[in-house]
């Protein structure tokens, strides 16, 4: 853990001004920043449980409704009646339809490849970076809620669901100080923007208007897309970031700043969680004054899988 270099000491991807962490754990590594979590971090996370209260962080698998991308239609469930009971199966099951983790096969950095510099051909001919590797680690660890939505409400400047607002590292520090949060290496940062609650409260017609693309049509608050924000996450030892909006980051994408997915996943090996359902966790943390918890999640062990339903819980 102490040998992990700071962001400013990471090498540049050849011919670009972006840095990569491909050599931190070796080019054949398949876990990325999950390597920050060892037995010591897991044990420390379990000691955060005081009440034994279990808070679900996932939507139903048929939400959002309607789906946020026209290309991702809801699954179809078939229930088969048997002599002794019932079986069922799902067709058209998009693993990244609802509350999800984006795995290391999800996105590459330009032509330089996926995590570790792997090419499309390498992924086509191997099981490398499959979500099944990721699922062997849960992921499980210390979660910290950074409740930007509640903080901004207290300040009298609430976030608006259909307005773009970039959440920078400086703002994350500001909210963390206000709520007494200290970050530790191996943390999962859980970011609440309030967007999902806003979205679910809209009419179906209004929700249909939210369909679009990351670059056009979708507007929402989220993580700032600048390189400095990726640096903030890396230097604070964040293993993964999950948020209650569509893409974690602010939309539409600012092309000048860049698309944070293309830094965090393929260059820093950082797992990204989307559409986490956070109102109960937010209320619990505000009531108790404790914004840290045991985060448990069971990604599906799908060989060559790109992503997975998160199946996530906070235990306080």
């Amino acid at each position: 853990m102490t040998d992990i270099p700071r962001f400013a000491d990471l090498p540049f991807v050849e011919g670009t001004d972006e840095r990569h962490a491909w050599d931190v754990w070796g080019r054949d590594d398949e876990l990325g920043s999950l390597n920050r979590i060892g037995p010591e971090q897991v044990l420390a996370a379990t000691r955060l449980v005081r009440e034994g209260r279990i808070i679900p962080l996932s939507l139903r698998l048929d939400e959002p409704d309607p789906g946020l991308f026209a290309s991702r239609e809801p699954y179809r469930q078939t229930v088969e009646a048997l002599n002794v009971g019932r079986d069922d199966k799902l067709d058209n099951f998009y693993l990244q339809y609802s509350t999800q983790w984006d795995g290391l096969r999800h996105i590459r950095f330009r032509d330089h490849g996926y995590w570790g510099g792997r090419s499309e051909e390498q992924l086509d001919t191997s099981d490398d970076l499959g979500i099944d590797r990721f699922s062997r680690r849960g992921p499980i660890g210390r979660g910290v809620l950074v409740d930007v939505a509640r903080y901004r409400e207290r300040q009298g400047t609430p976030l608006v669901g259909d307005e773009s607002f970039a959440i920078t590292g400086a703002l994350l520090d500001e909210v963390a100080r206000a709520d007494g949060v200290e970050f530790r290496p191996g943390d999962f940062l859980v970011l609440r923007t309030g967007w999902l609650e806003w979205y679910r409260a809209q009419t179906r017609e209004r929700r249909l208007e939210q369909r679009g693309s990351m670059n056009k049509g979708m507007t929402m608050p989220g993580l700032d897309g600048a390189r400095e924000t990726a640096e903030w996450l890396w230097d604070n030892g964040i293993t993964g970031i999950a948020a209650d909006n569509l893409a974690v980051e602010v939309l539409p994408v600012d092309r000048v700043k860049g698309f944070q997915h293309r830094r965090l996943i393929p260059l820093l090996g950082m797992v990204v969680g989307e559409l986490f359902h956070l109102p109960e966790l937010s209320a619990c943390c505000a009531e108790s004054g404790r914004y840290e918890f045991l985060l448990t999640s069971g990604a599906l062990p799908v060989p060559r899988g790109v992503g997975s339903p998160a199946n996530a819980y906070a235990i306080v």
Side-chain angles (χ1 to χ4, degrees):
M1 299 293 290
T2 58
D3 295 333
I4 296 175
R6 293 187 63 79
F7 185 86
D9 296 324
L10 295 174
F12 289 104
V13 179
E14 185 177 358
T16 79
D17 54 2
E18 298 289 351
R19 298 182 185 274
H20 72 79
W22 295 342
D23 301 309
V24 173
W25 297 288
R27 299 250 172 159
D28 60 348
D29 173 68
E30 299 189 68
L31 295 177
S33 285
L34 278 176
N35 285 293
R36 293 183 185 265
I37 301 176
E40 179 182 347
Q41 286 72 33
V42 175
L43 281 171
T46 65
R47 297 187 186 107
L48 299 174
V49 178
R50 299 182 185 177
E51 303 174 32
R53 177 178 172 183
I54 300 171
I55 300 174
L57 304 180
S58 296
L59 293 169
R60 289 175 19 155
L61 285 176
D62 58 358
E63 289 191 74
D65 179 26
L68 290 167
F69 296 100
S71 60
R72 295 180 187 174
E73 292 300 322
Y75 65 80
R76 297 184 298 273
Q77 182 182 24
T78 302
V79 179
E80 300 174 344
L82 308 173
N83 290 336
V84 295
R86 295 177 174 226
D87 280 347
D88 62 349
K89 65 180 180 180
L90 301 180
D91 294 304
N92 201 54
F93 182 25
Y94 281 92
L95 299 179
Q96 291 161 284
Y97 184 93
S98 186
T99 307
Q100 67 189 256
W101 289 113
D102 286 342
L104 297 181
R105 270 184 171 242
H106 176 51
I107 200 164
R108 70 171 190 264
F109 179 67
R110 303 177 191 169
D111 293 332
H112 298 278
Y114 295 83
W115 175 244
R118 291 170 173 86
S119 67
E120 294 283 1
E121 182 181 9
Q122 284 177 279
L123 294 197
D124 287 342
T125 57
S126 74
D127 291 346
D128 285 5
L129 305 182
I131 200 75
D132 57 318
R133 270 58 162 176
F134 175 73
S135 73
R136 292 171 64 87
R137 302 291 286 272
I140 296 170
R142 179 180 185 250
V144 290
L145 176 67
V146 180
D147 199 337
V148 175
R150 188 178 290 270
Y151 175 78
R152 295 274 299 189
E153 288 172 4
R154 295 199 306 261
Q155 301 299 309
T157 53
L159 298 181
V160 179
D162 56 355
E163 291 184 9
S164 183
F165 181 85
I167 297 169
T168 63
L171 180 55
L172 293 172
D173 278 331
E174 184 179 328
V175 177
R177 282 194 300 269
D179 291 335
V181 173
E182 294 183 3
F183 300 107
R184 301 172 190 162
D187 282 350
F188 291 95
L189 192 159
V190 180
L191 172 62
R192 179 171 174 261
T193 69
W195 181 82
L196 187 56
E197 293 154 72
W198 172 87
Y199 172 85
R200 295 179 86 223
Q202 305 304 305
T203 64
R204 183 174 178 83
E205 290 72 24
R206 184 72 181 90
R207 294 198 303 271
L208 275 168
E209 293 173 4
Q210 293 298 300
R211 280 186 163 190
S213 72
M214 300 290 188
N215 298 311
K216 184 179 179 181
M218 293 182 176
T219 303
M220 65 188 67
L223 187 71
D224 174 58
R227 188 179 300 111
E228 291 78 9
T229 304
E231 180 175 9
W232 184 95
L233 293 170
W234 178 267
D235 287 346
N236 275 281
I238 302 301
T239 283
I241 178 169
D244 60 349
N245 65 356
L246 171 63
V248 171
E249 51 199 289
V250 61
L251 295 179
V253 173
D254 183 335
R255 291 184 178 275
V256 174
K257 290 184 176 181
F259 187 36
Q260 207 66 270
H261 270 57
R262 290 198 174 95
R263 292 191 187 98
L264 300 184
I265 296 173
L267 299 184
L268 301 182
M270 198 172 293
V271 295
V272 173
E274 302 177 11
L275 298 172
F276 274 54
H277 190 41
L278 303 176
E280 185 179 350
L281 179 63
S282 172
C284 175
C285 290
E287 181 180 351
S288 67
R290 296 177 62 241
Y291 288 80
E292 58 180 357
F293 47 89
L294 172 63
L295 176 71
T296 68
S297 177
L300 298 179
V302 180
R304 301 191 181 195
V306 172
S308 172
N311 308 311
Y313 299 88
I315 306 178
V316 299

